[in-house]
Amino acid sequence: MLLVLFKKFLGKRQSSHPEISDSQTPEQVVIRIQEGDLRLRNQFITDYQPYVAKVASRFCKRYVDPARDDEFSIALGAFNEAINQFSPQAGRSFLGFAEQVMRRRLIDYVRKEQRFSQQIPYSQFDVEDEEDNVVNPVEIHQAIEQYEKQKGMEERRSEITELNRCLAEFGIQFSDLVDGSPKHSDSRQALFVIGKQLSGDYNLMRIMLTKRMLPIKELLDFVKVSRKTLERNRKFIIAVALIYNGPFPYLRDYLYIKEDEEFTERREVNE
């Protein structure tokens, strides 16, 4: 739950493409994409990822994890394929057509996996080590990958829990950050920069950590925003500064990724 809140705090968009109107049908959006709007395609696919996961889960008769399961990647690729192949003249809905394409690709994937598992069983990869013990490098590799993935998830959860504890010392909850996160990417990027500047200044961080408050007066000497802006976004800036300054390597990666995404997005708009 905290990870979901953290992503929302970063301002992850659900359906924020300025050119996608609530009044537009999926069919109308797909037609525009087929005319060459790449950014619209990317946003449309992002918006419908939950639908793709739902179709894949229904096909597999189990929950399909978008972060882990190959079935989701197969279905997502099929959804993109459906965008290219859809024809409004066929007289059917895009989502119905997309589901049919996803199911076909998932059936092909399952059949391929079954054939491979029958032709090359894992036992074919068994080898003997120096002590004559039978080991399977394929299974060992998969076990290591699974361990590293699980370890990473646990460490991310641990970091968010620790960040939540640090925020509580400032009287801040994650829900405050979600509600107060700037909606506009330029505003959010500016606050990321301020928080990063704050984290890199020893004296400012000492004041913040000692007094448990944002050093607004001192910050005004370093940033080009108004006192009102700092006061209104106090909680957001504190959270960013804590992430950059504290033992939060995974969360810092989220911030770096977010900064890169929003820089690219602004550049594409300007071009």
Side-chain angles (χ1 to χ4, degrees):
M1 181 60 182
L2 285 176
L3 183 56
V4 173
L5 290 175
F6 183 77
K7 288 180 178 179
K8 289 183 178 179
F9 149 60
L10 288 179
K12 185 173 182 179
R13 301 175 301 278
Q14 294 299 320
S15 183
S16 60
H17 194 292
E19 298 181 5
I20 296 181
S21 169
D22 292 338
S23 63
Q24 287 184 313
T25 65
E27 292 75 23
Q28 291 172 326
V29 176
V30 169
I31 291 173
R32 293 180 58 197
I33 293 172
Q34 291 176 343
E35 292 173 350
D37 193 331
L38 178 60
R39 292 185 63 225
L40 186 61
R41 175 191 290 268
N42 293 337
Q43 186 57 48
F44 185 67
I45 292 174
T46 298
D47 290 345
Y48 275 89
Q49 284 187 7
Y51 171 74
V52 172
K54 179 180 179 181
V55 171
S57 297
R58 190 162 57 227
F59 173 85
C60 296
K61 295 181 173 57
R62 62 176 175 82
Y63 171 68
V64 170
D65 186 346
R68 290 168 173 254
D69 294 326
D70 291 340
E71 289 85 352
F72 175 78
S73 298
I74 299 298
L76 195 64
F79 185 85
N80 182 55
E81 179 184 344
I83 294 175
N84 297 332
Q85 296 179 351
F86 178 72
S87 173
Q89 286 73 34
R92 61 183 305 181
S93 71
F94 169 74
L95 294 183
F97 173 72
E99 180 171 356
Q100 184 182 54
V101 175
M102 285 188 279
R103 290 181 64 85
R104 283 204 303 264
R105 294 295 169 261
L106 286 168
I107 289 172
D108 292 343
Y109 170 76
V110 170
R111 287 173 176 170
K112 180 180 178 181
E113 290 296 298
Q114 288 175 343
R115 286 198 302 270
F116 182 80
S117 63
Q118 291 170 359
Q119 293 173 0
I120 309 178
Y122 275 170
S123 59
Q124 292 295 317
F125 296 98
D126 287 348
V127 296
E128 291 186 354
D129 62 14
E130 296 177 354
E131 298 179 356
D132 295 329
N133 296 314
V134 177
V135 296
N136 190 308
V138 175
E139 291 181 345
I140 292 174
H141 176 70
Q142 290 183 336
I144 292 174
E145 281 190 338
Q146 182 63 28
Y147 169 76
E148 293 294 337
K149 186 180 294 184
Q150 184 63 31
K151 180 182 177 183
M153 291 179 63
E154 291 174 357
E155 289 179 350
R156 282 192 290 272
R157 283 195 292 264
S158 176
E159 284 189 16
I160 294 176
T161 299
E162 175 61 17
L163 176 62
N164 196 40
R165 185 193 65 77
C166 294
L167 290 171
E169 296 180 355
F170 290 82
I172 303 174
Q173 298 180 347
F174 260 108
S175 57
D176 299 331
L177 300 176
V178 175
D179 296 337
S181 175
K183 301 301 184 291
H184 197 278
S185 62
D186 284 342
S187 300
R188 195 162 50 246
Q189 174 66 13
L191 296 182
F192 281 144
V193 172
I194 293 173
K196 191 173 183 179
Q197 287 179 315
L198 172 58
S199 71
D201 190 294
Y202 173 80
N203 290 326
L204 292 181
M205 282 301 295
R206 180 177 55 81
I207 294 172
M208 189 184 89
L209 295 174
T210 301
K211 297 185 177 181
R212 296 291 188 266
M213 59 183 292
L214 186 67
I216 293 177
K217 179 181 177 181
E218 291 80 5
L219 263 179
L220 288 171
D221 294 332
F222 296 89
V223 299
K224 297 180 180 181
V225 298
S226 66
R227 172 183 287 272
K228 184 178 180 180
T229 298
L230 292 179
E231 291 175 344
R232 184 171 61 247
N233 297 285
R234 173 183 64 85
K235 296 177 180 179
F236 190 95
I237 296 171
I238 288 174
V240 173
L242 287 173
I243 292 172
Y244 275 119
N245 184 258
F248 305 112
Y250 283 102
L251 301 190
R252 277 196 294 276
D253 283 345
Y254 274 118
L255 294 187
Y256 290 137
I257 291 170
K258 201 63 189 175
E259 289 180 36
D260 290 342
E261 286 179 352
E262 294 182 348
F263 172 78
T264 301
E265 184 177 275
R266 291 199 309 280
R267 185 177 61 186
E268 289 176 348
V269 171
N270 292 333
E271 291 174 351

